[in-house]
Amino acid sequence: PRFTVHVRDEWLTVPCKDVTCTIKWLGTEALKRYIKNKPDNAGIHPIKDVCFWVRRCQGLGLLDNDDIIEDVLEDNDFVELAIEGDTMSQDFIPSQPQASHLTRAYREPNDYISLDGNSLSSTDLVNLGKGLYKIKLTPEAGQKVVESRELLDTIVKENKVVYGITTGFGKFARTVIPVSKLNELQRNLLRSHSSGLGSPLSPERTRMLLALRINVLAKGYSGVSLETLHIMIQAFNASCLSYVPEKGTVGASGDLAPLSHLALGLMGEGKMWSPKSGWADAKYVLEAHGLKPISLKPKEGLALINGTQMITSLGAEAVERAEAIARQADIIAALTLEVLKGTTKAFDSDIHELRPHPGQKEVALRFRSLLDSDHHPSEIAESHRFCDRVQDAYTMRCCPQVHGIVNDTIEFVKKIINTEINSATDNPMVFAERGETISGGNFHGEYPAKALDYLAIAVHELASISERRIERLCNPSLSELPAFLVNEGGLNSGFMIAHCTAAALVSENKVLCHPSSIDSLSTSAATEDHVSMGGWAARKALRVVEHVEQVLAIELLAACQGIEFLRPLRTTTPLEKVYDLVRSTVKPWFKDRFMAPDIEAVHRLLVDQKVWNIAGPYIEKYCMEYIPESRPSSPTAFALDPPPSPRKRVRLE
């Protein structure tokens, strides 16, 4: 067996003939190799007096120097060695990359998704990012890839002048490159374009980026070889993920910088991460997984980096999470309405037939399905049936109108993202059936950029209206509940600053919702004189969605706390189930305690869609019993047309 050991700024391969040796022996051998060609032994002398620590890269588990190697390490494991008195090398990347909110411990999946370039959905892509599936290529896609590559090989053989194949790039499009240097041209392209900055994408997002690039290449219009595509698929299936900085793309000519970093690792250069290795030099990570680096052929470097996959993959996550939080926002708002003793009259189906936007009707239907006192008796609703209140504040009464447009926007954006996922965005395009290559502009990111700016603006409104409902829950003059939802106010502050946190997130969203796609800066010596700025549109859309999730987590916590002051009265069955779900994670708030973990725990429930999974079946059952003409195909989408007949329509009082 052998092990890869990181010492200061170098990665060293250390063979081990006897696995009964200790970790101290492994560290000492690594130090010997490290100082072998260093001036003055790199300041390490004598070795026997050096104090060091060794830890596994995977999980950062600290190893005892007396541990037996075979007991704590596996063949090809990666370890880090830290020397006492050293500071962390400036060029060393921490073993665990910055995690997104979706990060999970990776478990190698058994199931596959077949890619053909035409049928991948945003849901599939997010699941690929989570590591739920491996990838394989359909035979038809493989044949198309072979045919387009054969055309390129013919072009090179006949010494034709074609952009990006036998010429330079951008401003250098008229510079013809000798055939003997065409492979070097592609390698240089990846190296020079790997100029991104910022934190690396999380494993999930890098998997999405790689999977989407594979899907685009599988369409057979990029001219990549089948061999190269198979190496990319093998790297994805082994979860060997390049270091991809999140900043640096202007969204035309595609996401050049991030996709170059993605391809650079596959070429065996730069850094790479895998669950087995943590961060290490790409060549070592590939080798440890039995993979060989890509050897680029003419046009392949350009084929790997030209397109909108960074914008689109992050956009797919944004729209999927937006869809999940939008339908859960209806449930949370319904619970708040119950706690604030609101009326259900505003959700009468007749009202919404007069303004029949699909999203508005859908939200009103969800409220009816959760609050219908005939279907789900509510002791809280019954307690104020004969009160003198005429109508509620807009934040409750207008939920169908405000939440509704969010639903319609998400549907619109999702269609654009799904079209983009299955689009060829390379340049030049290789048309094997026509026997020619054609330069165009499919790499321009304006479509997903504009859509994601729109998504951010729309989904933010869920947080904006939620924060106002939190204010109503915390304000005793509006809620008829104890101030800030806690007993012994003054001694306890309750939800006072949780509401401030929600307000801060809403205010931050107001800046993030400023569209990035209205900006353009000319690049590449005015060759790329209009760009989409879609990378930032995607990144900030994701941040807006996360803030929305967090604000609604605070509202859900506050609403459940409000119920404590209405006991022993109970709300409707589905909302009681939601209350029970929250209480299985977070205890009632009897006196002040550390609140941030409670908010994070409920945020986790929303990200995992557990609130929807609890209440969704009740919504579906209601629709099937009261509106049989619109039986849903799944609990996530309810057909609202044709409208129910008068005898089936339900009015809520």
Side-chain angles (χ1 to χ4, degrees):
R2 58 184 177 177
F3 306 96
T4 304
V5 185
H6 184 267
V7 182
R8 289 180 174 165
D9 57 349
E10 291 187 11
W11 287 93
L12 307 163
T13 299
V14 180
C16 178
K17 294 182 179 180
D18 184 4
V19 291
T20 62
C21 292
T22 64
I23 291 296
K24 184 175 183 179
W25 174 88
L26 178 64
T28 303
E29 283 296 306
L31 284 175
K32 289 178 181 177
R33 288 169 178 263
Y34 175 72
I35 68 174
K36 187 174 183 180
N37 297 312
K38 294 287 190 300
D40 192 31
N41 288 342
I44 301 174
H45 53 277
I47 286 182
K48 63 182 180 66
D49 294 335
V50 174
C51 181
F52 58 79
W53 297 268
V54 178
R55 66 173 70 240
R56 297 185 67 190
C57 289
Q58 182 182 12
L60 293 179
L62 189 64
L63 304 175
D64 191 287
N65 283 347
D66 294 329
D67 286 342
I68 304 300
I69 290 175
E70 66 177 350
D71 293 339
V72 293
L73 295 178
E74 299 177 2
D75 186 17
N76 271 338
D77 252 348
F78 287 67
V79 296
E80 300 168 19
L81 186 149
I83 301 171
E84 185 179 40
D86 273 1
T87 57
M88 182 66 74
S89 170
Q90 290 184 350
D91 66 352
F92 180 63
I93 306 165
S95 289
Q96 300 301 323
Q98 183 180 11
S100 75
H101 205 78
L102 298 177
T103 298
R104 294 283 196 277
Y106 178 74
R107 294 181 181 178
E108 187 170 334
N110 297 316
D111 297 327
Y112 286 79
I113 285 181
S114 296
L115 297 186
D116 59 7
N118 301 307
S119 54
L120 189 66
S121 71
S122 56
T123 305
D124 293 334
L125 187 58
V126 169
N127 285 334
L128 285 168
K130 293 177 181 178
L132 302 182
Y133 300 97
K134 291 183 180 179
I135 283 173
K136 59 183 176 181
L137 200 63
T138 66
E140 296 78 12
Q143 182 59 35
K144 288 184 178 180
V145 170
V146 169
E147 291 171 358
S148 66
R149 186 64 216 177
E150 288 175 347
L151 175 58
L152 283 189
D153 290 339
T154 300
I155 290 172
V156 174
K157 186 177 180 180
E158 296 176 354
N159 291 319
K160 293 182 179 180
V161 178
V162 178
Y163 171 73
I165 302 173
T166 56
T167 74
F169 312 98
K171 193 69 174 176
F172 299 124
R174 296 184 180 182
T175 303
V176 179
I177 309 298
V179 173
S180 61
K181 294 188 175 182
L182 292 184
N183 291 352
E184 182 182 355
L185 170 70
Q186 301 301 317
R187 292 194 296 272
N188 287 345
L189 176 71
L190 296 190
R191 290 164 180 158
S192 67
H193 285 39
S194 295
S195 55
L197 296 171
S199 301
L201 295 181
S202 67
E204 291 78 8
R205 291 173 182 168
T206 310
R207 271 197 289 265
M208 290 173 66
L209 183 63
L210 179 55
L212 186 52
R213 193 63 207 169
I214 291 169
N215 188 61
V216 170
L217 296 175
K219 291 184 73 70
Y221 293 97
S222 299
V224 71
S225 69
L226 190 59
E227 177 188 6
T228 294
L229 191 53
H230 278 314
I231 291 174
M232 296 176 71
I233 292 171
Q234 290 167 359
F236 177 89
N237 290 341
S239 202
C240 294
L241 307 172
S242 304
Y243 178 91
V244 181
E246 63 181 4
K247 300 176 184 178
T249 176
V250 295
S253 160
D255 296 317
L256 293 175
L259 288 172
S260 294
H261 281 276
L262 183 75
L264 190 71
L266 297 170
M267 203 168 74
E269 299 184 17
K271 300 292 183 181
M272 211 173 224
W273 181 92
S274 81
K276 179 178 181 180
S277 68
W279 286 113
D281 289 344
K283 61 181 178 180
Y284 290 120
V285 177
L286 292 172
E287 188 177 323
H289 291 83
L291 303 177
K292 62 179 182 178
I294 289 172
S295 179
L296 295 175
K297 302 176 180 63
K299 210 271 185 181
E300 286 199 316
L302 188 60
L304 294 180
I305 70 172
N306 213 329
T308 62
Q309 283 65 60
M310 169 84 156
I311 307 171
T312 308
S313 60
L314 296 184
E317 181 188 335
V319 77
E320 287 290 317
R321 290 174 68 174
E323 185 176 54
I325 195 59
R327 58 185 179 231
Q328 292 178 110
D330 297 341
I331 301 165
I332 296 168
L335 184 59
T336 296
L337 182 138
E338 274 283 272
V339 173
L340 294 176
K341 298 182 179 179
T343 178
T344 57
K345 290 181 179 180
F347 312 117
D348 189 294
S349 58
D350 282 343
I351 292 175
H352 302 284
E353 286 300 329
L354 299 179
R355 197 193 193 196
H357 293 294
Q360 177 176 328
K361 291 170 63 179
E362 182 175 7
V363 173
L365 174 60
R366 287 178 183 165
F367 271 78
R368 292 198 301 274
S369 67
L370 294 168
L371 298 170
D372 180 359
S373 58
D374 291 333
H375 197 71
H376 306 297
S378 166
E379 294 174 349
I380 294 175
E382 188 63 29
S383 71
H384 62 89
R385 177 182 289 273
F386 302 107
C387 70
D388 58 0
R389 189 181 305 170
V390 177
Q391 57 187 17
D392 294 317
Y394 290 1
T395 50
M396 295 184 286
R397 195 195 331 165
C398 298
C399 281
Q401 291 78 8
V402 177
H403 290 202
I405 183 57
V406 178
N407 282 263
D408 288 341
T409 301
I410 290 169
E411 183 179 358
F412 169 77
V413 173
K414 192 168 186 177
K415 287 179 180 177
I416 289 179
I417 293 296
N418 280 322
T419 298
E420 194 75 5
I421 283 173
N422 295 293
S423 296
T425 56
D426 200 356
N427 182 59
M429 307 302 298
V430 181
F431 293 90
E433 65 276 12
R434 293 173 56 172
E436 62 179 320
T437 63
I438 304 175
S439 289
N442 277 2
F443 50 70
H444 202 293
E446 198 73 10
Y447 260 100
K450 279 286 187 288
L452 292 169
D453 277 339
Y454 185 21
L455 178 70
I457 292 168
V459 76
H460 158 72
E461 213 58 36
L462 295 176
S464 178
I465 196 170
S466 173
E467 182 274 330
R468 290 291 82 202
R469 290 193 296 262
I470 297 169
E471 157 70 10
R472 301 193 75 83
L473 286 165
C474 292
N475 188 334
S477 64
L478 300 174
S479 68
E480 301 177 5
L481 298 170
F484 305 111
L485 301 171
V486 70
N487 290 320
E488 296 186 83
L491 175 62
N492 295 304
S493 296
F495 279 69
M496 180 187 296
I497 305 305
H499 173 232
C500 289
T501 299
L505 294 173
V506 168
S507 184
E508 189 171 330
N509 272 3
K510 291 174 184 176
V511 177
L512 291 172
C513 285
H514 179 85
S516 67
S517 62
I518 61 173
D519 184 32
S520 175
L521 289 172
S522 179
T523 59
S524 193
T527 303
E528 300 161 4
D529 56 347
H530 184 276
V531 300
S532 72
M533 298 301 178
W536 175 227
R539 286 169 45 226
K540 68 185 183 62
L542 267 172
R543 193 181 300 180
V544 168
V545 171
E546 182 173 53
H547 290 169
V548 170
E549 294 166 347
Q550 291 166 334
V551 171
L552 281 159
I554 293 171
E555 182 186 353
L556 179 54
L557 266 176
C560 288
Q561 181 64 16
I563 284 183
E564 306 299 338
F565 298 103
L566 301 179
R567 292 301 192 209
L569 300 179
R570 296 177 64 81
T571 182
T572 66
T573 303
L575 295 180
E576 283 290 340
K577 294 291 185 182
V578 172
Y579 168 86
D580 291 341
L581 172 68
V582 173
R583 286 291 172 252
S584 69
T585 303
V586 177
K587 295 179 181 179
W589 194 272
F590 296 119
K591 61 180 181 179
D592 282 352
R593 64 171 186 264
F594 185 18
M595 182 173 271
D598 291 349
I599 299 172
E600 283 298 328
V602 176
H603 182 201
R604 184 78 258 159
L605 294 178
L606 295 175
V607 171
D608 292 339
Q609 301 188 52
K610 290 186 177 179
V611 171
W612 176 256
N613 293 338
I614 285 288
Y618 289 93
I619 298 174
E620 180 179 14
K621 183 179 180 182
Y622 179 89
C623 292
M624 295 180 71
E625 290 184 3
Y626 281 79
I627 314 175
E629 298 94 333
S630 58
R631 293 177 187 270
S633 57
S634 73
T636 62
F638 301 105
L640 300 179
D641 293 313
S645 62
R647 65 184 179 84
K648 296 288 180 67
R649 187 177 290 124
V650 179
R651 288 190 176 86
L652 303 180
E653 300 299 333

